[in-house]
Each structure stands twice: as C-alpha cells, then as structure tokens.
C-alpha cells in the first residue's frame, strides 16, 4: 500500500545543514494502523509531512497505492492529496466557519455539488459523533469535538490513507481514548490505512498494529507492537516501554519486596504474553498442588495483538510440591517462569 524508499529531508539553517529525516525506508500494508513514535526532534512530524509533500523531500521516494507521490507535478499532486487525509495536533480548523462548513470545505475545493456536499457532510457528522453540533463554531467546541471535526474533514473526499500528526497530544486522557476509539472504528468500518505520529507509547499500545521508533531522523527499531514492547532493543525504545510498564526505579521496589518475602518458599517471576494473559494460572496451581501462593506484584497491559506482563509470586509449601508446580508451568503452559529467590 505505502512504500517509502530512502526518504531524506535536509533543512538549511543558519548556513548549516540539518538532517531531519535520514534515509528512511518503510513498508506499510493496506488497512494497517501504523505508529511512528519518537521524542521531540526525532523527525517524525517532518516525516509524515513528506508523505503528502507538505514538505518537499531532499531525496527518496514515496509510493502510495502504486502512485509515486514524489514524482507528481503540482496539478497531479493536488488530485493525489484528495486521497490522503490529514489531521493535526492543533486541529487547523477555519474558525470563522461552522462545523458543517469546515467539513464541506475540501468538498468545495474538489468541485462537489451543493447536494453532494450536504449529503456527505451529514454522513461524516454522524460517523464522528457530532450530530446536533452542525451549526456550532470551533470556539464553541471542546478539544475532542474540534478533533472530531478535523477527522471528519480529513475523510471528506474518501481518502485511502489518513495521516495523524500528534492528533491526541493536545487532549486530556479521557478525550484521547475517545478519539483513539473513533480512529479504530473508522479503520474497521472504512478499511482505511492510518499512519499515526506520536510521542506517547500508550497511544501506540492501544490502537497500532506495527510501530517504528525514530531517533535523530532514523528508524532505529520497527516491528509488531507486541514484539517491540516485549523485546525492546534500543535504549530509546526501552524508555518508551517504561511509559507503560514502569521505570527501573520500580525494579528496586520489587527487589526490596522480594527480600522481604524471601524467608520461605520460592519467589517466581511469571511472564505472560498474548493469549496466556487470559489463563487462570494462579487458581489452577492452587487446585493442583498443595502450595500457598502469595502475589507480590505484577502488571499486565494490552496491545492490539494481545496482552503481556509480569507477575511476581511467592510459593510456599513442601519443596517437592513447589518444584512440581514450576515443572507444570514450564511443561504444560506457555507462561514463562523463572525462580528468582529460593529460601529452601
């Protein structure tokens, strides 16, 4: 669906060349929600603006649905952009126009008739949940409602691709979740390919299938969200994962807790991945083996591809029973187990 080959952007600033995007290559499948994450200055917003040539690339190709965007002339690009919707962090609405007029604006530019505009605008207002707010002006809307207008406007010409540049960064957590749920609903209903730029890992976790991590203009890590979450390789990726799973300071808390409870039995670290997060493992162990289980600490989070997390458990009882329980986990389940303290 989207092929990006050797994409680069160099800005000249104070007689110096600044490389914002550096030889970036990605392939994005049709219908995916593809996340691109990076800290401020990583080049991610420049990257997304290169896809529809709001920024002109210094080098490289962008191919969307077999059309090379980077090779189009001005007239061809104007038509191609009708199939590439975009929403922004600060909404970019026309403040002197109503909700319905904002949504209708790209249809006017495309030459749609008044009747066609009216029908399409009402469809989109219903889709994004703004019924009853058609005549309101942006100043009369909440942040979430403004972004819903932005989404509806971006969908006006039935695009194949939706670019989201920090679309939830200006919103509170509850509103962010409602917008992310809307994007997932649109992706499912319309089969739309979505590229989502963010600096927030929980946004990636909630709705993305694939993720690319950017640093200093380069993609330093990419893959399925669950794989990247569970096996982060680069330091920057590990920092992002800590946004969800907790920082290394929590490891110290766990160590102190383990030392507190390590005077009896064994301390086990259980690692759950994907469907294993739904297993009632603790209750199953308690029924099968004559042991007592004390849950010390744990955290499980969900991604689009399934859940993952870690649970620390103290197992008390006869050593043979504990060993049989550990063997059962290793041989009969897909949960990973590690004995990290043995007081016997």
């Amino acid at each position: 669906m989207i092929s990006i080959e050797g994409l680069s952007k160099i800005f000249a600033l104070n007689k110096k060349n600044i490389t914002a995007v550096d030889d970036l290559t990605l392939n994005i499948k049709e219908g995916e929600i593809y996340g691109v994450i990076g800290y401020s200055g990583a080049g991610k917003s420049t990257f997304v603006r290169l896809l529809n040539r709001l920024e002109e690339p210094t080098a490289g190709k962008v191919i969307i649905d077999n059309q090379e965007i980077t090779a189009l002339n001005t007239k061809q690009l104007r038509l191609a952009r009708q199939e590439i919707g975009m929403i922004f962090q600060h909404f970019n609405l026309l403040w002197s126009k109503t909700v319905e007029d904002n949504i209708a604006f790209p249809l006017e530019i495309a030459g749609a008739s008044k009747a066609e505009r009216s029908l399409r605008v009402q469809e989109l207002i219903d889709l994004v949940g703004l019924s009853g707010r058609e005549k309101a002006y942006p100043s009369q809307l909440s942040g979430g409602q403004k972004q819903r207008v932005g989404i509806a406007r971006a969908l006006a010409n039935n695009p194949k691709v939706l670019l989201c540049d920090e679309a939830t960064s200006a919103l509170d957590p509850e509103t962010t979740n409602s917008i992310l749920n809307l994007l997932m609903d649109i992706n499912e209903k319309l089969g739309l390919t979505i590229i989502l730029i963010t600096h927030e890992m929980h946004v990636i976790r909630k709705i993305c299938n694939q993720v690319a991590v950017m640093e200093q203009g380069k993609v330093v890590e990419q893959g399925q969200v669950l794989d990247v979450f569970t096996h982060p390789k680069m330091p920057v990726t590990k920092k992002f994962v800590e946004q969800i799973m907790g920082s290394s300071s929590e490891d110290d808390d766990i160590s102190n807790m383990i030392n507190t409870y390590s005077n009896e039995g064994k301390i086990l670290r259980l690692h759950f991945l994907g469907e294993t997060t739904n297993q009632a493992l603790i209750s199953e162990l308690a029924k099968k083996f004559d042991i007592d289980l004390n849950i010390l600490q744990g955290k499980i989070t969900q991604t689009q591809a399934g859940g993952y997390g870690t649970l620390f458990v103290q197992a008390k009882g006869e050593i043979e029973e504990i060993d049989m329980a550990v063997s059962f986990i290793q041989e009969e389940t897909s949960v990973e187990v590690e004995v990290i303290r043995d007081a016997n």
Side-chain angles (χ1 to χ4, degrees):
M1 173 60 176
I2 301 175
S3 178
I4 300 156
E5 303 172 10
L7 193 63
S8 296
K9 178 64 180 181
I10 300 174
F11 292 99
L13 184 64
N14 296 327
K15 297 182 179 180
K16 292 183 178 179
N17 287 336
I18 306 297
T19 302
V21 175
D22 190 0
D23 193 26
L24 191 150
T25 296
L26 284 176
N27 287 292
I28 299 169
K29 295 178 181 178
E30 184 176 1
E32 276 191 331
I33 302 180
Y34 196 103
V36 178
I37 190 167
Y39 289 111
S40 180
K44 57 190 187 297
S45 288
T46 300
F47 159 69
V48 79
R49 290 169 65 85
L50 291 172
L51 297 184
N52 59 1
R53 284 175 57 188
L54 288 179
E55 292 285 355
E56 287 293 338
T58 305
K61 294 181 180 180
V62 174
I63 301 168
I64 299 178
D65 199 25
N66 297 318
Q67 185 176 43
E68 187 178 338
I69 302 299
T70 40
L72 301 180
N73 61 35
T74 302
K75 183 178 179 181
Q76 291 168 332
L77 179 60
R78 191 181 304 117
L79 292 173
R81 281 177 175 160
Q82 293 180 12
E83 296 188 340
I84 308 171
M86 189 165 186
I87 57 176
F88 304 86
Q89 178 179 359
H90 296 297
F91 320 124
N92 284 23
L93 301 181
L94 300 168
W95 295 90
S96 61
K97 290 183 178 290
T98 63
V99 166
E100 59 186 3
D101 288 340
N102 263 281
I103 298 170
F105 187 64
L107 294 167
E108 290 181 51
I109 294 174
S113 69
K114 186 174 181 180
E116 288 173 328
R117 295 199 305 265
S118 179
L119 181 62
R120 181 63 177 152
V121 166
Q122 193 56 55
E123 288 176 354
L124 290 165
I125 283 174
D126 292 341
L127 177 67
V128 301
L130 285 174
S131 298
R133 304 296 287 162
E134 293 89 341
K135 303 297 183 183
Y137 288 89
S139 61
Q140 299 170 313
L141 302 176
S142 67
Q145 289 172 329
K146 290 172 189 172
Q147 195 57 283
R148 287 172 185 268
V149 177
I151 292 170
R153 182 184 59 187
L155 297 176
N157 285 312
N158 292 300
K160 297 175 181 176
V161 177
L162 180 63
L163 308 178
C164 306
D165 187 11
E166 298 279 10
T168 60
S169 296
L171 306 176
D172 62 74
E174 184 176 351
T175 306
T176 291
N177 279 331
S178 71
I179 294 298
L180 294 178
N181 287 334
L182 175 60
L183 290 174
M184 285 193 292
D185 187 49
I186 289 169
N187 169 255
E188 184 177 343
K189 285 181 178 177
L190 306 181
L192 201 62
T193 303
I194 298 176
I195 300 176
L196 192 149
I197 305 299
T198 185
H199 64 273
E200 300 169 304
M201 199 63 170
H202 73 88
V203 171
I204 300 291
R205 172 189 64 82
K206 183 174 176 67
I207 73 168
C208 294
N209 313 114
Q210 300 274 332
V211 62
V213 183
M214 285 190 69
E215 187 176 33
Q216 296 182 342
K218 292 180 177 291
V219 169
V220 297
E221 194 163 350
Q222 62 179 296
Q224 293 185 357
V225 170
L226 189 57
D227 291 341
V228 172
F229 261 64
T230 52
H231 302 103
K233 297 179 178 64
M234 303 301 292
V236 64
T237 312
K238 292 175 182 178
K239 287 182 181 179
F240 279 121
V241 172
E242 285 177 0
Q243 291 182 5
I244 302 297
M245 295 306 292
S247 66
S248 57
S249 63
E250 288 184 325
D251 292 340
D252 296 332
D253 295 338
I254 291 168
S255 296
N256 292 333
M257 186 180 301
I258 288 170
N259 290 331
T260 300
Y261 288 94
S262 62
N263 59 341
E264 186 180 353
K266 295 185 178 184
I267 305 295
L268 311 178
R269 187 202 310 259
L270 304 176
H271 184 65
F272 297 81
L273 182 64
E275 293 182 0
T276 64
T277 55
N278 298 322
Q279 288 184 228
L281 181 61
I282 301 301
S283 61
E284 188 174 5
L285 292 174
K287 291 175 183 177
K288 285 182 177 291
F289 305 99
D290 187 18
I291 58 175
D292 292 323
L293 295 168
N294 182 19
I295 297 175
L296 306 183
Q297 184 158 332
K299 187 169 186 178
I300 292 175
T301 191
Q302 294 293 323
T303 73
Q304 280 293 92
Y308 75 99
T310 301
L311 197 63
F312 292 87
V313 177
Q314 181 186 28
K316 298 189 294 184
E318 295 294 329
I319 185 64
E320 293 83 2
E321 285 289 311
I322 297 175
D323 287 343
M324 284 193 293
V326 171
S327 295
F328 171 80
I329 298 171
Q330 293 171 332
E331 297 168 8
E332 303 295 333
T333 78
S334 54
V335 176
E336 297 177 12
V337 59
E338 177 187 1
V339 178
I340 56 175
R341 284 288 190 281
D342 189 347
N344 292 292

